Amino acid sequence: MRPGVGLLVSTLVLAGAVAVTGSVLALRLFYVWILVLAAGWLWVRLSIRGLSLESGAIPERACAGSSIQQEVSLNSASRLPRFGLTLQAETDLPGADSAPVHEIVSGRGASLQTNYLLVKRGRFHLGRFRLTATDPFGLFHSRTSLGEARQITVHPQAVPLPPFSLLGLAGSGLSRRLPEALSASASSIREYTTGDSLRHVHWTSTAHTGQYMVKVFDADRSRHRAKNYWVILDMAAPAHSGEGSQSTAEYAVTLAAALARKYIAGGFQFGLIASQHEPVVMPAAASQKHLTDILDVLAVIEPRGAMPVAELIARHQGLFGSDSTVVTISPSNSSALTEAYHQLTSRGGAAAFFLIDGADFGGPSPAAAGRSLIQLGAPVYLLRKADSCAQSLEQAAGAPGWVRDWSRS
């Protein structure tokens, strides 16, 4: 029963008792009840009058997995204390509905701090609050909204990207042809990663640092050195499975963001192509603003595309040249990925694949596609369901796709 209906029924019952019994006691109880109702109603109406709210600034952008704080001041036009006030954030931010409700005793005003845990990427609104006044008897409640909602874009979670041997910053990603074109002298050294030849270990630096260090060679033909990196992000709805943070789509987006952060930070040109209702194409660039723009797109992208990833690659292959390394992220089990690999490498560039094992998320397995790509010599990494996407990346870096017994899938 709604509170208002309950109060009305109680009033009618008391009035009926007075009319039927004619009791003086019943009449007095009726009068007291009316006074209580009037006092409660007046209390809640006066409690929220003359109140204003000022909220501190929030960042325009943040990263999932982090938290932000907001200072809030509730100001009163009256110096009289007010009791029975509570303040709670009105926001579409996931998880904020479980935030604590602040009890307010307002004289001249009150200041408090609201903490928000950003559990999901997306675009949300913060800064508006719901003020609730309750009378001492708990009979009446009055609510009003205060403050101005501000938009915040939550970027995909920042996860450390393990050293994938064919995609490291020091290498060009040209795994099959680069050894033919190495010059005799090394230009620099870097940490050893899985797949490096032990012939290239720089023993002096290894002894000095306590970690294996390898020589980095200049390519004699500069056209074979990767100057730009592209990510093909498969967001076609039929290919994805799972929900929330444990979904193939979330793993794909988190990996795309990690690659963008790492390669742009390394000074490389980076571009993104993703399938949506209309393909999203962000030409390769290397500025911090470009990274922000990419992360803004990845913050809100969802698996709503209809174009298969192989068709997406075929439509945009003209963007890739001999100095390009193209990374495809997909849970697709389509055999057309083999043709996509031929298209990507036909111009002299390099291609690698991160396949997400949809079988772990209740969807199809990419085993057939992975087996075909491996037979062509394509670098393939398999991301499997783990406690977190970061853990899945660690496992993929330590165990490339060809280590898995695909024949049993």
Side-chain angles (χ1 to χ4, degrees), residues 186-243:
S187 61
S188 62
I189 58 173
R190 60 173 171 81
E191 289 186 14
Y192 174 87
T193 59
T194 305
D196 288 332
S197 172
L198 291 177
R199 294 180 303 167
H200 298 154
V201 172
H202 191 269
W203 295 108
T204 302
S205 299
T206 298
H208 180 71
T209 62
Q211 295 180 331
Y212 281 107
M213 306 295 289
V214 294
K215 305 171 186 176
V216 178
F217 296 90
D218 286 325
D220 289 337
R221 293 176 292 175
S222 61
R223 65 188 181 91
H224 292 315
R225 178 177 292 277
K227 295 181 179 178
N228 57 75
Y229 287 79
W230 288 85
V231 160
I232 307 292
L233 180 60
D234 181 5
M235 294 301 281
H240 286 278
S241 53
E243 296 181 357

Side-chain angles (χ1 to χ4, degrees), residues 231-236 272-281 301 305-320 326-330 336-337 340 343-344:
V231 160
I232 307 292
L233 180 60
D234 181 5
M235 294 301 281
L272 174 71
I273 300 175
S275 51
Q276 286 289 274
H277 297 298
E278 291 294 331
V280 175
V281 180
I301 198 168
M307 184 180 297
V309 64
E311 183 180 342
L312 185 70
I313 292 172
R315 179 176 294 191
H316 297 96
Q317 63 175 317
L319 295 173
F320 317 128
V326 183
V327 181
T328 300
I329 306 172
S330 173
L337 284 179
Q343 292 173 345
L344 291 173

Side-chain angles (χ1 to χ4, degrees), residues 98-181:
S98 61
V101 177
H102 299 282
E103 299 285 345
I104 305 296
V105 177
S106 178
R108 292 186 175 181
S111 297
L112 53 96
Q113 186 178 78
T114 303
N115 298 315
Y116 302 101
L117 179 61
L118 307 178
V119 299
K120 183 181 178 182
R121 63 182 176 87
R123 192 164 286 138
F124 308 104
H125 299 85
L126 297 173
R128 195 160 179 81
F129 292 82
R130 181 174 64 251
L131 181 68
T132 303
T134 305
D135 71 282
F137 308 104
L139 300 175
F140 291 94
H141 303 273
S142 181
R143 296 180 177 87
T144 187
S145 294
L146 300 173
E148 180 182 355
R150 300 184 181 94
Q151 181 174 281
I152 179 172
T153 301
V154 182
H155 289 162
Q157 185 175 6
V159 298
L161 190 64
F164 292 98
S165 61
L166 299 177
L167 300 174
L169 288 175
S172 68
L174 304 177
S175 57
R176 297 172 58 180
R177 295 190 301 165
L178 186 58
E180 304 172 2

